[in-house]
Amino acid sequence: MGYSDVYDAWKADANAFWMKAAEEIAWYQPPSKALFDDKAPMYEWFSDGMVNACYNAVDRHVEAGRGDQLAIMHESPITHSTKGITYSELRDRVASLAGALKMRGVEKGDRVIIYMPMIPEALEAMLACARIGAIHSVVFGGFAAHELAVRIDDATPKAIIAASCGLEPGRVVHYKPLLDDAIEQATHKPEFCVVFQREQEVAKLVEGRDFSWHGFQYGVKPAECVPVEGNHPAYILYTSGTTGQPKGVVRSTAGHLVALQWTMKNIYKVGPGERFWAASDVGWVVGHSYIAYGPLIAGAETIVFEGKPIGTPHAGVFWKIIQNHRVKSFFTAPTALRAIKREDPKGEWIKRYKLHDLQALFLAGERADPDTVKWAQEHLRVPVIDHWWQTETGWAIAANPIGIEELPVKLGSPSVPMPGYDVHILDEGGHEVAAGEMGAIAIKLPLPPGTLQTLWNAEERYRKSYLSHFPGYYETGDAGYKDEDGYLYIMARTDDVINVAGHRLSTGAMEEVLAAHPDVAECAVIGVADELKGQLPLGFLCLNANHGRTPEDVIKECVFMVRDQIGPVAAFKHACVVDRLPKTRSGKILRATMQKIADSQEFKMPATIDDPAILDEITEVLKGAGYAK
């Protein structure tokens, strides 16, 4: 069966399609049907089934006789350590931690915040919560105290599990003072905290409130898996909203299990005993779906990486790990590849390693610019698969499902919609537009299993943010088009569409042109206010190492290229050369913040920013160009 047969089978009978997919999961009590639509547009999946996420990710593999296989491989170039954990060991460690949580009064439905770096204990904490039906909310380690406090107040956790510190190249990130400060600021106070003491920095514990990871588990009875309803929340994951109040995406247990199992096999083509690596962080959705849960549900080995694409120690670290652990499918963000490409434009580091087992490279998190895709295709010589999804959806909306059939790759497109997603391109009035025309990307309800059920304690906001604009649809907030073959092209967030003299133009399309310039390593385009035309595009260019050209020459060529390929209508006349671009920790460029600075407006420092100093650099450059007054 090819992709279109599978997609058509889903379209013909979604209930049968998802009930069949659900057979790959172990149930205490199978669901009576897939979709529960009695509260539409608040849809649920497999609500009356009884299931446990930890059992499906860990215990069932041990019971199937695969307990000696590696479940987790930790690679930390920052601490120069490598450590493997088998499925049997993982079960024992998770059951012990879960037993200790249970003994301290954590029950089904209680929330637990996890604030940890990329260490196996972060996954163990998530699975221990799942084991006893507690709802975890992982907050990216090292997140500012205020942001952590806001999440403590929203999720009202009974407990917080943290590490003493995180490690960045050349510096220690002190987690414990941030945690203490956040609890101080928060109105809600957790009953207790569990702190994993890392040897790089041992934290001071608060008497009576804080426990050390090992001492906390001393002498406890290991916990068994607790069956939960299919619609029981597995976790809350906060995503930055447009307002200061974070949005807590709620993922229900059964849909999450069924969808992730389906994707491991059909999108990533990875099965039991095979090795999968998503170079992301547990604090992001990719870390939830494809470091912690997906690979383990499929019985594969997951790699937990504490390092960076370059500088820990060099631009070949990804390829070294892929070689040493015989990784079959590798998933990273385009941002990481661009950093490597900037250091190693000719792919010299790639040639040093044997990547025999690598079958494909998957990219997500932002648009994969064709230039980066071409570079990876040329040097890795495997399919380079861009796929598109969101924190809200939890898994790919559009992808190239190599487990079903490898479709032709079209540069700049994440390929085609996955079963479960009926994707439409709509104009302002909610009418479908013709192939090749840009519009708002919306998905016909219901969304498939594994996608968000609602926002935590904010159903009204969920309806308003996602369902109200186009009744009967989920609004993705992305703009793009479909070509005549049904391939999707995601051009920009709907708010990255700029309006130049009445023409709606995509900043993504301009960035694509700029990225193709041989000296440009990375770029961003924003719309700045203009009295005459409403908005004008302004480019920011980061240049490749040792390019040996003057910035003026490169800018001149870039302006010509945009004019040549998009047309004078783009009115692209200005660009600045900068050393680096401001980004979130997950690698998204903060275009909206740059735009506010350029237009001399008040802006809030984005909570997820990687390095706030970059905004000062950008402000200086903008002032020099006559903006940011």
Side-chain angles (χ1 to χ4, degrees):
M1 268 170 77
Y3 156 74
S4 43
D5 305 320
V6 174
Y7 192 80
D8 293 347
W10 160 71
K11 260 197 139 153
D13 189 345
N15 196 64
F17 181 90
W18 290 117
M19 283 302 273
K20 182 147 182 45
E23 290 170 12
E24 306 264 317
I25 291 301
W27 301 86
Y28 296 102
Q29 177 192 313
S32 61
K33 58 179 182 177
L35 181 66
F36 286 71
D37 55 4
D38 42 328
K39 297 200 281 284
M42 306 298 290
Y43 295 94
E44 291 182 355
W45 295 92
F46 312 115
S47 304
D48 62 359
M50 297 297 286
V51 71
N52 182 282
C54 181
Y55 181 83
N56 276 282
V58 185
D59 302 60
R60 68 167 173 166
H61 306 307
V62 180
E63 288 168 18
R66 303 212 336 279
D68 292 343
Q69 276 182 12
L70 283 174
I72 297 173
M73 177 54 75
H74 186 226
E75 270 286 352
S76 171
I78 294 182
T79 59
H80 317 292
S81 64
T82 299
K83 171 184 181 162
I85 298 173
T86 66
Y87 273 102
S88 290
E89 290 163 349
L90 183 60
R91 180 193 58 189
D92 296 346
R93 293 166 70 130
V94 169
S96 166
L97 180 60
L101 290 170
K102 201 169 157 183
M103 195 182 82
R104 301 277 337 165
V106 176
E107 295 170 357
K108 177 186 164 187
D110 286 339
R111 274 81 56 215
V112 176
I113 279 184
I114 297 172
Y115 185 64
M116 297 184 101
M118 285 295 287
I119 53 178
E121 287 76 11
L123 276 65
E124 291 168 14
M126 294 164 84
L127 292 163
C129 291
R131 194 171 188 86
I132 55 177
I135 302 166
H136 63 69
S137 186
V138 181
V139 177
F140 182 87
F143 228 7
H146 168 70
E147 293 301 323
L148 181 52
V150 170
R151 287 155 176 76
I152 292 172
D153 280 337
D154 194 67
T156 60
K158 189 172 267 187
I160 297 181
I161 302 177
S164 56
C165 67
L167 302 168
E168 295 275 326
R171 71 187 177 111
V172 172
V173 185
H174 318 287
Y175 283 11
K176 188 60 172 41
L178 291 168
L179 174 63
D180 291 342
D181 190 4
I183 294 173
E184 181 83 7
Q185 288 181 40
T187 317
H188 170 85
K189 309 292 181 196
E191 289 179 20
F192 65 94
C193 300
V194 183
V195 179
F196 179 74
Q197 298 278 24
R198 301 191 71 180
E199 60 186 77
Q200 288 75 21
E201 177 172 273
V202 175
K204 183 174 180 344
L205 302 183
V206 174
E207 192 65 42
R209 184 195 75 188
D210 299 344
F211 298 90
S212 76
W213 177 273
H214 296 292
F216 176 66
Q217 300 179 51
Y218 177 74
V220 302
K221 187 164 162 283
E224 292 301 324
C225 296
V226 173
V228 300
E229 298 76 13
N231 60 359
H232 179 71
Y235 66 77
I236 303 165
L237 177 56
Y238 288 94
T239 174
S240 36
T242 38
T243 66
Q245 198 49 34
K247 298 192 287 200
V249 167
V250 177
R251 192 92 59 219
S252 23
T253 307
H256 163 68
L257 291 169
V258 172
L260 292 181
Q261 170 81 38
W262 188 89
T263 60
M264 287 305 297
K265 193 169 171 176
N266 295 288
I267 297 178
Y268 303 105
K269 202 175 172 181
V270 167
E274 295 183 320
R275 291 148 310 278
F276 183 83
W277 179 21
S280 177
D281 189 282
V282 284
W284 312 128
V285 69
V286 174
H288 282 62
S289 293
Y290 296 112
I291 296 174
Y293 287 105
L296 297 177
I297 292 164
E301 175 185 328
T302 184
I303 291 175
V304 174
F305 171 70
E306 186 178 42
K308 297 272 184 242
I310 56 173
T312 59
H314 51 62
V317 67
F318 277 9
W319 323 124
K320 177 181 164 183
I321 290 174
I322 290 171
Q323 167 189 282
N324 292 354
H325 296 299
R326 300 179 42 222
V327 170
K328 191 175 176 195
S329 281
F330 175 53
F331 178 156
T332 190
T335 256
L337 277 196
R338 284 196 293 267
I340 294 171
K341 174 174 155 233
R342 190 179 182 176
E343 291 266 312
D344 185 20
K346 297 198 168 72
E348 299 296 342
W349 279 105
I350 299 175
K351 298 188 185 90
R352 299 185 181 196
Y353 298 102
K354 303 267 182 285
L355 309 179
H356 297 317
D357 290 88
L358 186 66
Q359 64 175 356
L361 165 69
F362 291 85
L363 299 172
E366 52 179 324
R367 288 188 67 251
D369 54 291
D371 221 50
T372 301
V373 174
K374 280 193 278 209
W375 178 85
Q377 283 172 335
E378 180 191 336
H379 296 292
L380 293 171
R381 302 207 172 109
V382 295
V384 176
I385 295 179
D386 180 19
H387 57 329
W388 169 61
W389 45 296
Q390 303 176 322
T391 301
E392 289 86 348
T393 66
W395 59 283
I397 303 168
N400 190 332
I402 65 169
I404 300 172
E405 127 178 69
E406 197 182 308
L407 300 169
V409 167
K410 295 190 183 192
L411 287 177
S413 168
S415 302
V416 293
M418 290 295 93
Y421 295 99
D422 185 3
V423 178
H424 296 258
I425 315 291
L426 308 175
D427 65 15
E428 278 301 296
H431 307 292
E432 188 93 25
V433 302
E437 265 184 58
M438 194 150 104
I441 306 175
I443 301 163
K444 206 165 173 9
L445 295 173
L447 290 177
T451 54
L452 83 168
Q453 182 175 315
T454 182
L455 294 176
W456 184 252
N457 286 341
E459 186 179 308
E460 212 22 67
R461 185 174 178 196
Y462 166 70
R463 289 171 182 262
K464 194 168 162 264
S465 301
Y466 302 107
L467 310 180
S468 62
H469 192 155
F470 301 115
Y473 291 89
Y474 164 86
E475 183 188 2
T476 64
D478 281 307
Y481 63 92
K482 269 187 197 175
D483 70 11
E484 54 294 343
D485 300 327
Y487 275 61
L488 266 173
Y489 290 79
I490 319 302
M491 296 318 286
R493 288 296 290 173
T494 36
D495 42 23
D496 287 340
V497 173
I498 60 173
N499 197 318
V500 180
H503 298 283
R504 283 169 63 81
L505 295 167
S506 153
T507 51
M510 295 183 215
E511 288 173 5
E512 203 164 287
V513 175
L514 299 176
H517 188 289
D519 296 320
V520 173
E522 189 159 35
C523 62
V525 173
I526 60 169
V528 291
D530 178 75
E531 278 173 16
L532 187 64
K533 300 202 169 189
Q535 277 183 306
L536 280 178
L538 174 65
F540 294 83
L541 312 171
C542 299
L543 305 184
N544 279 317
N546 44 34
H547 54 84
R549 310 272 315 276
T550 67
E552 294 72 26
D553 283 352
V554 176
I555 291 172
K556 211 186 304 173
E557 289 164 15
C558 283
V559 167
F560 172 78
M561 285 166 72
V562 175
R563 192 188 169 94
D564 180 52
Q565 291 177 42
I566 294 181
V569 59
F572 184 87
K573 300 190 178 79
H574 303 286
C576 323
V577 168
V578 293
D579 202 33
R580 46 202 192 141
L581 294 169
K583 291 180 188 175
T584 65
R585 294 198 173 106
S586 58
K588 289 189 173 48
I589 296 169
L590 293 161
R591 295 180 182 80
T593 307
M594 289 160 74
Q595 185 168 340
K596 283 196 169 122
I597 294 174
D599 289 344
S600 322
Q601 296 170 357
E602 283 290 295
F603 71 93
K604 257 187 72 184
M605 174 72 68
T608 50
I609 190 162
D610 193 31
D611 182 352
I614 303 180
L615 289 181
D616 300 333
E617 297 167 16
I618 295 287
T619 307
E620 284 312 303
V621 170
L622 282 165
K623 280 184 174 152
Y627 300 98
K629 298 184 180 66

